[in-house]
Amino acid sequence: MSTIVEALPISTHLAALMAALAGGVLVKPLKLPPLAGYLAAGFFLYLLGFRSTAGIEQLASLGITLMLFTIGLKLDLRSLASREILVPAIGVTLLWCILVGVKLLVMSLLLSGWLESLLLGYQQILIVAFALSFSSTVCIIKLLQEHDELKTRHGRIAIGVLIIQDLLAVGFLVAALGKYPSPWALALPLLILARPTITRLLRYGGHGELLPLMGLFLALGGAWLFEIVDIKGDLGALLLGALLAGRDKSAELYKSLNQFKDLFLVGFFLSIGLTALPSWDSLWLALMITALLVVKGVLFFALLVALKVAVRSAFLAALALTNFSEFGLIVAQMSHQQGWLGSDWLVTLALAVTFSFVVSALLSQYAHTLYGRWRDALYRFAPGQQRQVQPVSAEGAEVLVVGLGRVGSAAYDRLLQSYPNRVCGIDVDEQRQAEHLKAGRRVLLGDGEDIDFWSKLELNTVSLIMLSVPNVTEMEFMIAQMRGSGFGGRIVCIARYEDERQQLLKAGADAVFSYYSEVGVGFAEEGQRLLSSATF
């Protein structure tokens, strides 16, 4: 096989880029996120004889660092102390290790004559169970971002659990390798003193190319500072981002880094596929391990419901966390280097992580549909909760604006001039809702993808609903929920591209405005108004 590779007049990096592009294109008709295609491309390249390079690994590392830094920009560290985050993060890890450890032991006994090269001892079983107890920070946050669910209740729970798991990972590496943080780590809290200076620097950077360059420097700088005191660098990038959360320029910095982050993360998903070529034994065992994801999802849901988290939020958070983490590969590799785990298990765990990413992508795609289908059954497992049937009133509003970001807020204010006291907003972000209420706007807290919310919302007086949501898939789902709840009024959406416009019209929207062209039209209309009122 290597002779085939050597005969190809193409570099490894260009081949990786071509394969990733092809994989992303091929999974698009299946409505899977591109990451599933990148993973498949990595395995295909390995089959052809390609191997991961230092360049791909550096790209992957940079993507992870940037992703965690951008998540930090949206993070409220105070929320991590809540029991709905701490209990599931720690409780699932402990229960998973016990249940899956027993399962792996039974599998080893039953399959002793078939998968001899993959049999485990007691110590190895605990290592593998612990490695598989974590959920993927990279995969989950990527999917939450794609569906614009970072600020939802279930999104905040999932991210909080991931951060606690990252801290547990740091503790494991310390205990396993005997590598303790440097005493200089005690000085890291002093970084808070640098926050005003960093904020002024970002403000001085303006809105051009300097801003993402500053963000890249801060992300890498935060990772470097933590690494030199022997703490996981990715954790440093996340915490430095959290230090700037809510400050001037943090939202703009987040948006300026998003495209860079997505591009660099291609290297991460490719590198997983380029880990090793599986044998049939590894393949079958990885599939059996992937089936254990059901246990992880059930554990998260059960603990969250026991903590009185709303059934819908508990279900969606559990689905988001139902995968395996790339940290499992780090644990396996480290254990192999220490002589605790055989090389075959590196391949098996890599496969299990890859399969779990595909499962997670599918669950993310159909999460709200699954909740709508199973919600009656789910409430039976939460006897302390009852489905809320109390109506939510829009207080006689004729117009609803869903999504109060910059565009939605501007639309709300403009409509309010023509329809005083007859406009109402809906937003999923509690903090943003509070800001709007303080500014005098009438805004309800609600998730547009929540089928229960639309069934409770009184729409008797509403004749127009305007969707100002960045994700086309979400708007399609919202339109279906509105029509399903009996709403017969007009629905207007905003789209960036013509194909998205046609997609929303087909889904049932009455009108779809182009984000870019309508800005130009509004700009021209304002110019005409000023020109007609000018005196010469």
Side-chain angles (χ1 to χ4, degrees):
M1 189 65 69
S2 61
T3 56
I4 297 177
V5 176
E6 291 169 1
L8 291 174
I10 189 170
S11 72
T12 301
H13 296 112
L14 184 57
L17 184 61
M18 289 176 60
L21 178 60
V25 170
L26 289 173
V27 300
K28 187 175 176 62
L30 303 176
K31 293 188 176 181
L32 288 174
L35 67 88
Y38 304 153
L39 289 166
F43 280 114
F44 179 72
L45 286 172
Y46 194 96
L47 183 64
L48 292 180
F50 287 90
R51 298 295 180 265
S52 186
T53 65
I56 293 176
E57 296 297 333
Q58 289 172 356
L59 197 68
S61 177
L62 184 56
I64 294 171
T65 300
L66 271 181
M67 185 199 68
L68 291 173
F69 178 73
T70 55
I71 292 308
L73 292 171
K74 295 279 188 177
L75 185 65
D76 181 5
L77 288 175
R78 294 170 296 181
S79 65
L80 299 182
S82 65
R83 64 174 188 163
E84 66 185 23
I85 290 175
L86 287 175
V87 173
I90 299 173
V92 168
T93 299
L94 294 175
L95 291 173
W96 170 271
C97 287
I98 294 171
L99 294 175
V100 174
V102 172
K103 179 71 173 180
L104 289 174
L105 179 60
V106 172
M107 286 171 60
S108 292
L109 294 175
L110 294 178
L111 302 175
S112 58
W114 180 33
L115 304 176
E116 292 184 6
S117 63
L118 293 169
L119 296 182
L120 296 172
Y122 296 108
Q123 182 187 28
Q124 294 166 320
I125 284 175
L126 288 176
I127 291 173
V128 171
F130 182 75
L132 295 173
S133 68
F134 295 93
S135 301
S136 172
T137 302
V138 177
C139 181
I140 293 171
I141 292 179
K142 184 79 167 59
L143 292 172
L144 287 174
Q145 284 180 326
E146 287 181 356
H147 293 278
D148 196 31
E149 295 181 342
L150 288 175
K151 290 297 187 73
T152 60
R153 179 84 184 281
H154 63 273
R156 292 197 303 269
I157 290 173
I159 292 172
V161 169
L162 291 171
I163 293 171
I164 298 299
Q165 287 183 342
D166 276 348
L167 294 174
L168 291 175
V170 172
F172 172 80
L173 293 175
V174 168
L177 298 177
K179 185 179 180 182
Y180 295 92
S182 163
W184 287 102
L186 297 174
L188 289 175
L190 295 177
L191 282 173
I192 196 170
L193 300 177
R195 184 164 59 179
T197 302
I198 296 174
T199 302
R200 285 194 295 270
L201 183 64
L202 291 172
R203 195 182 300 121
Y204 180 77
H207 310 284
E209 61 272 15
L210 277 178
L211 189 62
L213 184 60
M214 289 178 179
L216 184 61
F217 170 78
L218 290 171
L220 294 176
W224 175 75
L225 279 176
F226 273 60
E227 284 175 355
I228 63 174
V229 295
D230 299 323
I231 298 180
K232 195 178 179 184
D234 294 338
L235 187 63
L238 185 141
L239 292 178
L240 186 60
L243 190 67
L244 302 174
R247 311 289 290 188
D248 291 345
K249 306 289 285 188
S250 62
E252 187 179 351
L253 182 61
Y254 173 87
K255 291 180 179 179
S256 71
L257 290 174
N258 255 345
Q259 290 185 339
F260 293 100
K261 172 210 65 183
D262 290 340
L263 180 61
F264 295 146
L265 280 175
V266 173
F268 168 76
F269 294 111
L270 277 173
S271 66
I272 291 181
L274 287 165
T275 301
L277 190 65
S279 64
W280 284 110
D281 288 352
S282 296
L283 180 62
W284 285 112
L285 187 55
L287 286 172
M288 286 189 280
I289 290 174
T290 304
L292 295 175
L293 285 173
V294 176
V295 177
K296 180 175 283 193
V298 169
L299 287 175
F300 274 118
F301 178 74
L303 283 177
L304 287 169
V305 166
L307 293 169
K308 306 302 182 184
V309 175
V311 167
R312 177 177 177 271
S313 296
F315 177 74
L316 294 177
L319 282 189
L321 292 163
T322 302
N323 59 25
F324 299 132
S325 173
E326 59 283 352
F327 175 70
L329 302 181
I330 298 173
V331 171
Q333 187 176 32
M334 182 207 69
S335 300
H336 176 62
Q337 292 171 351
Q338 298 290 326
W340 302 336
L341 209 58
S343 59
D344 289 337
W345 272 97
L346 285 174
V347 183
T348 302
L349 290 179
L351 276 174
V353 170
T354 302
F355 293 156
S356 77
F357 283 2
V358 176
V359 170
S360 192
L362 288 169
L363 291 176
S364 173
Q365 188 75 29
Y366 299 104
H368 298 280
T369 303
L370 291 174
Y371 171 74
R373 184 177 302 169
W374 297 342
R375 57 178 174 167
D376 292 332
L378 290 171
Y379 273 91
R380 295 194 189 104
F381 294 99
Q385 294 191 42
Q386 300 293 327
R387 281 182 54 188
Q388 296 181 7
V389 295
Q390 184 177 359
V392 177
S393 175
E395 301 179 11
E398 292 183 30
V399 182
L400 287 182
V401 181
V402 181
L404 272 292
R406 287 181 295 180
V407 175
S409 298
Y412 179 101
D413 293 338
R414 184 65 179 268
L415 287 165
L416 198 62
Q417 297 174 9
S418 303
Y419 304 95
N421 300 320
R422 289 182 289 171
V423 183
C424 183
I426 297 174
D427 202 275
V428 71
D429 188 340
E430 293 183 22
Q431 182 179 352
R432 191 154 61 188
Q433 183 216 21
E435 293 171 355
H436 285 304
L437 292 175
K438 188 177 180 180
R441 298 186 182 95
R442 185 170 44 162
V443 180
L444 300 176
L445 182 67
D447 188 347
E449 291 189 279
D450 184 357
I451 188 172
D452 292 334
F453 177 77
W454 289 111
S455 63
K456 293 182 297 182
L457 184 62
E458 293 182 337
L459 299 172
N460 299 331
T461 61
V462 176
S463 57
L464 173 66
I465 297 179
M466 303 185 70
L467 300 182
S468 178
V469 179
N471 190 288
V472 175
T473 304
E474 287 182 35
M475 286 191 282
E476 285 183 303
F477 188 85
M478 291 179 192
I479 292 170
Q481 299 311 312
M482 294 174 206
R483 297 306 188 196
S485 64
F487 178 67
R490 301 286 184 176
I491 300 175
V492 182
C493 306
I494 294 177
R496 288 181 171 83
Y497 308 105
E498 179 60 25
D499 61 324
E500 294 180 346
R501 179 176 176 274
Q502 295 300 326
Q503 190 176 339
L504 290 169
L505 288 172
K506 187 177 180 181
D510 296 286
V512 181
F513 292 91
S514 169
Y515 182 84
Y516 297 112
S517 64
E518 294 303 321
V519 170
V521 172
F523 187 46
E525 289 178 351
E526 185 66 13
Q528 288 179 333
R529 185 188 68 79
L530 293 173
L531 186 62
S532 63
S533 63
T535 56
F536 298 96

